Amino acid sequence: MVWPLFIIFILLFLALDLGVFNKNPHIISSKEAGIWTAIWVTLSIAFSGVIYWLYLNSYLDNPNQLKPIAASVKFLTGYLIELSLSADNIFVIAIIFSSFKIAQKHQHRVLFWGIIGAIVFRGIMIYFGVLLIQKIDWITYLFGTFLLFTAIKMFFKKEEEDFNPKDSKVYKIIGKIIPVTHHRDNEHFIIKENNKSYATPLLVALLVIEVMDVVFATDSVPAILAITSDPFLVFSSNIFAILGLRSMYFFLANMLQKFSYLEYSLIAILFFVGIKMILIHFYKFPEWISLSFIAIALATGVHISLKLAKNESN
């Protein structure tokens, strides 16, 4: 019953979110976003206690024979990985909204449906990722090598390589399927003009965000699979990170430039989990080492970013 209850919890929250908390479109203030970010972080940490209880009482299948404390630590480690890798996602979302000139009061609606799509796509990718790891031993070497390649590519990426949503293939494909209007006066994804349907900038932004999330998931899903292949731990940590992403976006959107050195933290994390996945059949890192490394990498990136940003402003 754990899986159905967890999915019901997600659906219940999403229904309350759109039907109660954000029934009327409005601009999400930094204070409101900060409160929701704190709520989601607190819920995620508290859920690690639920994980401990579930595995202590054997309420879930435990294919890897994890002890309760190990399961809790793996959940928190996976959650931190997903949260940290969301930093680039937040930056891209900001670019997409700016490019299509999406009004702030409508951004929440776009992200709401974007998160539903992300949950579905992540669930599919996690299912097949876990299946591959369980069926094919050497796939871990492939995933690990891919993460190392991604880390090296990020390190040598040129700063002038800017992402322009209007140059993306998905934008061009949408234009071929359905005409795109530039009207931004309402919160609808599709409108009718002269008995003809048009996609609004909201729909275009939503679809581009969905595609970009799939692209980012090709990094984050293998990264968390380096921590554990337990389906429930991988899925639940992903979901909590995704559900908290929206409030984190509104909280950090105006401060992204201050965290410019966080990119190097993400590179270090990807490099670490890549090495861990390659060595998984030869040496297993203790769980506290993984959790500590990721936490220290993130804290160091935030500290250096804020310190240098403060020095530049003086």
Coordinates of all heavy atoms in Angstrom, one line a residue, residues 33-73:
A33 N 7.7 32.4 -1.6 CA 8.5 31.3 -2.1 C 9.4 30.8 -1.1 O 9.7 29.6 -1.0 CB 9.2 31.9 -3.4
G34 N 10.0 31.7 -0.3 CA 10.9 31.3 0.8 C 10.2 30.4 1.8 O 10.8 29.4 2.3
I35 N 9.0 30.7 2.2 CA 8.2 29.9 3.1 C 8.0 28.5 2.6 O 8.2 27.5 3.2 CB 6.9 30.6 3.5 CG1 7.2 31.9 4.3 CG2 6.0 29.7 4.3 CD1 5.9 32.7 4.5
W36 N 7.5 28.5 1.3 CA 7.3 27.2 0.7 C 8.5 26.3 0.5 O 8.5 25.1 0.6 CB 6.5 27.4 -0.7 CG 5.1 27.5 -0.5 CD1 4.3 28.6 -0.6 CD2 4.1 26.5 -0.1 NE1 3.0 28.4 -0.4 CE2 2.9 27.1 0.0 CE3 4.3 25.1 0.2 CZ2 1.7 26.4 0.3 CZ3 3.1 24.4 0.5 CH2 1.9 25.0 0.6
T37 N 9.6 27.0 0.1 CA 10.9 26.3 0.0 C 11.3 25.7 1.3 O 11.7 24.5 1.4 CB 12.0 27.3 -0.4 OG1 11.7 27.8 -1.7 CG2 13.4 26.5 -0.5
A38 N 11.1 26.4 2.4 CA 11.5 25.9 3.8 C 10.5 24.7 4.1 O 11.0 23.7 4.7 CB 11.3 27.0 4.8
I39 N 9.3 24.8 3.7 CA 8.3 23.8 4.0 C 8.7 22.5 3.3 O 8.7 21.4 3.9 CB 6.9 24.2 3.6 CG1 6.3 25.3 4.5 CG2 5.9 23.0 3.6 CD1 5.0 25.8 4.1
W40 N 9.1 22.6 2.0 CA 9.5 21.4 1.2 C 10.8 20.8 1.7 O 10.9 19.6 1.8 CB 9.5 21.7 -0.2 CG 8.2 21.7 -0.9 CD1 7.5 22.7 -1.4 CD2 7.4 20.5 -1.0 NE1 6.3 22.3 -1.9 CE2 6.2 20.9 -1.7 CE3 7.5 19.2 -0.7 CZ2 5.1 20.0 -2.0 CZ3 6.5 18.3 -1.0 CH2 5.3 18.7 -1.6
V41 N 11.7 21.6 2.1 CA 13.0 21.1 2.7 C 12.7 20.4 4.0 O 13.2 19.3 4.2 CB 14.0 22.2 2.8 CG1 15.2 21.7 3.6 CG2 14.4 22.8 1.5
T42 N 11.8 21.0 4.8 CA 11.5 20.3 6.1 C 10.8 19.0 5.9 O 11.0 18.0 6.5 CB 10.6 21.3 6.9 OG1 11.3 22.5 7.1 CG2 10.3 20.7 8.3
L43 N 9.8 19.0 4.9 CA 9.0 17.8 4.7 C 10.0 16.7 4.1 O 9.8 15.5 4.5 CB 8.0 18.1 3.6 CG 6.7 18.8 4.1 CD1 5.8 19.1 3.0 CD2 5.9 17.9 5.1
S44 N 10.9 17.1 3.3 CA 11.9 16.1 2.7 C 12.7 15.5 3.8 O 13.0 14.3 3.8 CB 12.7 16.8 1.7 OG 11.9 17.3 0.7
I45 N 13.2 16.3 4.7 CA 14.1 15.8 5.8 C 13.2 14.9 6.7 O 13.7 13.8 7.2 CB 14.7 17.0 6.6 CG1 15.7 17.7 5.7 CG2 15.4 16.4 7.9 CD1 16.2 19.0 6.3
A46 N 12.0 15.4 7.0 CA 11.1 14.6 7.8 C 10.7 13.2 7.2 O 10.6 12.2 7.9 CB 9.8 15.3 8.1
F47 N 10.7 13.2 5.9 CA 10.3 12.0 5.1 C 11.4 10.9 5.3 O 11.1 9.7 5.2 CB 10.0 12.3 3.7 CG 9.4 11.1 3.0 CD1 8.0 10.9 3.2 CD2 10.1 10.3 2.1 CE1 7.4 9.8 2.5 CE2 9.4 9.2 1.5 CZ 8.1 9.0 1.7
S48 N 12.6 11.4 5.5 CA 13.7 10.4 5.8 C 13.4 9.6 7.0 O 13.8 8.4 7.1 CB 15.1 11.1 5.9 OG 15.1 11.9 7.1
G49 N 12.7 10.2 8.0 CA 12.2 9.5 9.2 C 11.2 8.5 8.8 O 11.1 7.3 9.4
V50 N 10.3 8.8 7.9 CA 9.3 7.9 7.4 C 9.9 6.7 6.7 O 9.5 5.6 6.8 CB 8.3 8.6 6.4 CG1 7.3 7.6 5.8 CG2 7.6 9.8 7.1
I51 N 11.0 7.0 5.9 CA 11.7 6.0 5.2 C 12.3 5.0 6.2 O 12.2 3.8 6.1 CB 12.9 6.6 4.4 CG1 12.4 7.4 3.2 CG2 13.9 5.5 3.9 CD1 11.7 6.6 2.1
Y52 N 12.9 5.5 7.3 CA 13.4 4.7 8.4 C 12.4 3.7 8.9 O 12.6 2.5 9.1 CB 14.0 5.5 9.5 CG 14.6 4.8 10.6 CD1 16.0 4.4 10.6 CD2 13.9 4.3 11.7 CE1 16.6 3.7 11.6 CE2 14.4 3.6 12.8 CZ 15.8 3.3 12.7 OH 16.3 2.6 13.7
W53 N 11.2 4.3 9.2 CA 10.1 3.5 9.8 C 9.6 2.5 8.8 O 9.3 1.3 9.2 CB 8.9 4.5 10.1 CG 7.7 3.8 10.6 CD1 7.5 3.2 11.8 CD2 6.5 3.7 9.9 NE1 6.2 2.7 11.9 CE2 5.6 3.0 10.8 CE3 6.0 4.2 8.7 CZ2 4.2 2.8 10.4 CZ3 4.7 3.9 8.3 CH2 3.8 3.2 9.2
L54 N 9.5 2.8 7.5 CA 9.0 1.9 6.5 C 9.9 0.7 6.4 O 9.5 -0.5 6.3 CB 8.8 2.6 5.1 CG 7.7 3.6 5.0 CD1 7.8 4.3 3.7 CD2 6.4 2.9 5.1
Y55 N 11.2 1.0 6.4 CA 12.2 -0.1 6.2 C 12.4 -0.9 7.5 O 12.8 -2.1 7.4 CB 13.5 0.4 5.6 CG 13.5 0.7 4.2 CD1 12.8 1.8 3.7 CD2 14.0 -0.2 3.2 CE1 12.7 2.1 2.3 CE2 14.0 0.1 1.9 CZ 13.3 1.2 1.4 OH 13.2 1.5 0.1
L56 N 12.2 -0.3 8.6 CA 12.3 -1.0 9.9 C 11.2 -2.0 10.0 O 11.5 -3.1 10.6 CB 12.2 0.1 11.0 CG 12.3 -0.5 12.4 CD1 13.7 -1.1 12.7 CD2 12.0 0.6 13.5
N57 N 10.0 -1.7 9.5 CA 8.9 -2.6 9.7 C 8.6 -3.4 8.4 O 7.6 -4.1 8.3 CB 7.6 -1.8 10.0 CG 7.7 -1.2 11.4 OD1 7.5 -1.8 12.4 ND2 8.0 0.1 11.4
S58 N 9.5 -3.3 7.4 CA 9.5 -4.1 6.2 C 8.1 -3.9 5.5 O 7.5 -4.8 5.0 CB 9.6 -5.6 6.5 OG 10.9 -5.8 7.1
Y59 N 7.7 -2.6 5.4 CA 6.5 -2.3 4.7 C 6.7 -2.1 3.2 O 5.8 -1.9 2.4 CB 5.9 -1.0 5.2 CG 5.3 -1.1 6.6 CD1 5.4 -0.1 7.6 CD2 4.6 -2.3 7.0 CE1 4.9 -0.3 8.9 CE2 4.0 -2.4 8.2 CZ 4.2 -1.4 9.2 OH 3.6 -1.6 10.4
L60 N 8.0 -2.2 2.8 CA 8.3 -2.0 1.4 C 9.2 -3.2 0.9 O 9.9 -3.8 1.8 CB 9.1 -0.7 1.1 CG 8.3 0.5 0.9 CD1 9.2 1.7 1.1 CD2 7.7 0.6 -0.5
D61 N 9.2 -3.5 -0.3 CA 10.2 -4.5 -0.9 C 11.6 -3.9 -0.7 O 11.8 -2.7 -0.9 CB 9.9 -4.7 -2.3 CG 8.7 -5.6 -2.6 OD1 8.3 -6.3 -1.7 OD2 8.1 -5.4 -3.7
N62 N 12.5 -4.7 -0.2 CA 13.8 -4.3 0.0 C 14.8 -5.1 -0.8 O 15.5 -5.9 -0.2 CB 14.1 -4.4 1.5 CG 15.4 -3.6 2.0 OD1 16.1 -3.1 1.1 ND2 15.6 -3.5 3.2
P63 N 14.9 -4.9 -2.1 CA 15.7 -5.7 -3.0 C 17.2 -5.7 -2.6 O 17.9 -6.7 -2.9 CB 15.5 -5.2 -4.4 CG 15.0 -3.7 -4.1 CD 14.2 -3.8 -2.9
N64 N 17.7 -4.6 -2.1 CA 19.1 -4.5 -1.7 C 19.4 -4.8 -0.3 O 20.5 -4.6 0.2 CB 19.6 -3.1 -2.1 CG 19.4 -2.8 -3.5 OD1 19.6 -3.6 -4.4 ND2 19.1 -1.5 -3.9
Q65 N 18.4 -5.2 0.5 CA 18.5 -5.6 1.9 C 19.1 -4.4 2.7 O 20.1 -4.6 3.5 CB 19.4 -6.9 2.0 CG 18.8 -8.1 1.3 CD 17.4 -8.5 1.8 OE1 17.2 -8.6 3.0 NE2 16.5 -8.6 0.9
L66 N 18.6 -3.2 2.5 CA 19.1 -2.1 3.2 C 18.6 -2.0 4.6 O 17.5 -2.4 4.9 CB 18.6 -0.8 2.5 CG 19.1 -0.6 1.1 CD1 18.4 0.7 0.5 CD2 20.6 -0.3 1.1
K67 N 19.5 -1.6 5.5 CA 19.1 -1.4 6.9 C 18.4 0.0 6.9 O 18.6 0.9 6.1 CB 20.3 -1.3 7.8 CG 21.0 -2.7 7.9 CD 22.2 -2.6 8.9 CE 22.9 -4.0 9.0 NZ 24.0 -4.0 9.9
P68 N 17.5 0.2 7.9 CA 16.7 1.4 8.0 C 17.5 2.7 7.9 O 17.1 3.6 7.2 CB 15.9 1.3 9.3 CG 15.8 -0.2 9.5 CD 17.1 -0.8 9.0
I69 N 18.6 2.7 8.7 CA 19.4 4.0 8.7 C 20.1 4.2 7.4 O 20.2 5.3 6.9 CB 20.4 3.9 9.9 CG1 21.1 5.3 10.0 CG2 21.4 2.8 9.6 CD1 20.2 6.4 10.5
A70 N 20.5 3.1 6.7 CA 21.1 3.2 5.4 C 20.1 3.7 4.4 O 20.5 4.6 3.5 CB 21.7 1.9 5.0
A71 N 18.9 3.2 4.4 CA 17.8 3.7 3.5 C 17.6 5.2 3.7 O 17.4 5.9 2.7 CB 16.6 2.9 3.8
S72 N 17.5 5.6 4.9 CA 17.3 7.1 5.2 C 18.4 7.9 4.7 O 18.2 9.0 4.1 CB 17.1 7.3 6.7 OG 16.0 6.7 7.2
V73 N 19.6 7.5 4.9 CA 20.8 8.3 4.4 C 20.8 8.3 2.9 O 21.1 9.3 2.2 CB 22.1 7.7 4.9 CG1 23.3 8.4 4.3 CG2 22.2 7.8 6.5

